[in-house]
Amino acid sequence: MFNRYMLELGSKRSAIRELHEFGRLRAESLGADSVFDFSIGNPSVPPPDCVRQTIKRLVSASDSVALHSYTSAQGSEEVRKTIADDIKQRFGVNMRADLIYMTCGASAALTAIINALAEEGDEFILPAPYFPEYTVYVTAAGAKHIDIPFKGNFDIDLDALEAAINKRTKAIIINSPNNPSGKVYSEDMILRLAEILERKNRELGITVYVIADEPYRELVFNGQKVPFVMNYYKNTAVCYSYSKSLSLPGERIGYIAVSPEAENADELYLAILGAGRALGFVCAPTLFQQVVAKCLDARPDLDIYRHNGKLLYDELTAAGFECAPPEGAFYLFVKAPDGNSQAMSERAKQLGILIVPGDDFAAKGYCRVAYCVDESLILRAAPLFKKLADSYK
C-alpha cells in the first residue's frame, strides 16, 4: 500500500531529532534548567547585521509582488551570476551562472546532485564520520552507499577508499569542515585524494565525481584553511548552504556549483535541473536568494564559536574525556571511555545532558557534542560532564 522505505523513514526520527525531542519533553516536565542540550547543530550566533538590514530594505520596497514571485527553476540569473563571480574572485575558478543551481539548503543540493548522478547499481562512497542523512539520500536515489573508515585523527583512510573504488563507483561525498568531528581536511589530504581518483579513473575507464558538502566552509579557527576542491579535482560539484555562514538554517537557502572543468559539465547541470524538477526542488525562496546575494561577504561572529569550542574542550578534557581540539564547524567528537557511544549517550541523558551517539555517523565509540550554544550552558553543564566521566571509574 505504501512505499516501505518511506514508511520506515517516517516512523523513526534521526538520532539527532530523537534526542532533541526528548529534551523538549524533559524541559516541559522538569523545567528548562534540567536540560543541557548539545544535540543539534542550530547556530547560536545571530545573523550578521547585513542580513537584517537587507531584509528590511527588500520587504519595504514598493515592488513586493516581484520579491515574492517565482524565479526560474534554477534560481534568479542575477543571483546566480553574483554567486558565480564571488566563487571566481575567492577561489580562482572560472565559474558561470549557468553552472549554479539555487536550492533549499544543502540537503536539497545533495539530494539533487545524487539523483542527477545515480543510475541503477551505482555506488556512492561515504568516508566516515559523515552526516547520517547521506545514507538516506543515496538509498532513496536507488543507489548503494559504501562506508570508508577514518583514521585516529579523523582523516580519510585513503588506502581503504582506493580499494573500494570499482566500475560501479559514481561519486564520493566529502564534508569539510566535518560534521560530526569538526575536522578540516588538509590540502595534502585533498591532493592525495585527487591523485587516487585520477588514477582509478584511468585504470577503470570511469569518471568518479566528488560531491563536496560545505555548509561549514566559513566556520574555521586558528588560521585553518578549507581547500576548495574544484581547484584540485575537476570532476567536482560543491553543495553549499548559508545556514551556518549567515545563521539562516530555517530559511533553507543554498546552491549547487558544478565545476566548469568537469567532464560533460553542461550535461551534468542539465541532469541537476531534471532532478530538481522531478523532486520538486525548483525556485528556491526568492526573498532569500536576494538576501544572500547581497550579503556574500558577511560572516557570523566566529569569536563566539571559537570561545565556546575551547571552553568546552577544556572542560571535557579536564573531566577526563578524550577528544580532538576544535578545527572547524561547531562540534567536538568525544571518545566513549568504554567504546560504547550508545551507552554513553544514555548515561548522559540520565543527567539531562543530550549528546549524539556516533553510530549513525558510522563512528561507533564516539559522541558528538555541539557547542553552538550559550556559554552559560557549557558552564552549567561542566560539573555534570565531570560526573559523567567519573561514572566510568
Side-chain angles (χ1 to χ4, degrees), residues 321 335-345 347 365 392:
F321 287 111
K335 194 169 186 178
D338 63 353
N340 189 331
S341 54
Q342 290 280 1
M344 180 176 169
S345 177
R347 285 197 195 202
Y392 285 95

Side-chain angles (χ1 to χ4, degrees), residues 103-309:
T103 64
C104 293
S107 295
L110 288 162
T111 307
I113 183 66
I114 289 168
N115 277 270
L117 289 171
E119 298 177 280
E120 186 177 355
D122 279 349
E123 296 177 354
F124 287 70
I125 294 177
L126 308 182
Y130 56 74
F131 181 54
E133 297 302 277
Y134 291 169
T135 64
V136 175
Y137 305 152
V138 169
T139 303
K144 180 181 179 182
H145 67 89
I146 306 296
D147 293 357
I148 299 298
F150 57 89
K151 295 188 175 180
N153 61 355
F154 302 117
D155 274 335
I156 301 169
D157 186 334
L158 292 176
D159 291 334
L161 184 144
E162 182 169 6
I165 297 173
N166 61 74
K167 284 185 174 291
R168 295 184 300 277
T169 304
K170 180 56 67 74
I172 296 165
I173 305 177
I174 63 173
N175 173 220
S176 174
N178 181 259
N179 174 12
S181 70
K183 177 72 178 181
V184 176
Y185 294 146
S186 67
E187 182 180 41
D188 179 65
M189 166 69 66
I190 300 301
L191 281 168
R192 290 162 60 203
L193 173 64
E195 290 171 2
I196 289 169
L197 296 181
E198 295 287 6
R199 182 168 63 251
K200 298 302 288 188
N201 286 342
R202 291 192 300 270
E203 288 178 4
L204 299 173
I206 59 175
T207 299
V208 177
Y209 290 88
V210 168
I211 300 172
D213 180 25
E214 299 187 354
Y216 301 94
R217 182 198 297 155
E218 324 304 342
L219 274 62
V220 289
F221 318 120
N222 306 321
Q224 289 278 356
K225 294 188 182 301
V226 180
F228 195 64
V229 183
M230 286 185 192
N231 285 325
Y232 301 86
Y233 184 68
K234 67 179 184 178
N235 293 309
T236 294
V238 170
C239 295
Y240 188 75
S241 165
Y242 295 93
S243 293
K244 276 66 179 184
S245 63
L246 294 181
S247 292
L248 295 173
E251 309 307 340
R252 314 308 299 157
I253 187 71
Y255 63 79
I256 305 170
V258 175
S259 170
E261 302 299 322
E263 295 178 26
N264 304 311
D266 293 322
E267 288 188 6
L268 173 56
Y269 184 73
L270 291 175
I272 292 168
L273 265 64
R277 178 183 177 187
L279 295 165
F281 293 158
V282 295
C283 180
T286 301
L287 169 60
F288 279 90
Q289 287 190 51
Q290 297 294 326
V291 170
V292 299
K294 290 174 171 58
C295 295
L296 292 178
D297 295 329
R299 297 289 180 268
D301 186 351
L302 291 181
D303 285 340
I304 295 176
Y305 292 138
R306 186 182 295 109
H307 172 77
N308 279 0

Side-chain angles (χ1 to χ4, degrees), residues 12-16 18-19 334-350 353 355-368 388 392:
K12 182 180 181 297
R13 296 187 185 93
S14 71
I16 299 168
E18 195 68 49
L19 274 170
V334 183
K335 194 169 186 178
D338 63 353
N340 189 331
S341 54
Q342 290 280 1
M344 180 176 169
S345 177
E346 286 299 318
R347 285 197 195 202
K349 276 172 68 176
Q350 301 310 309
I353 300 173
I355 55 178
V356 185
D359 300 53
D360 285 358
F361 297 100
K364 292 182 178 181
Y366 291 85
C367 283
R368 190 189 78 171
L388 177 62
Y392 285 95

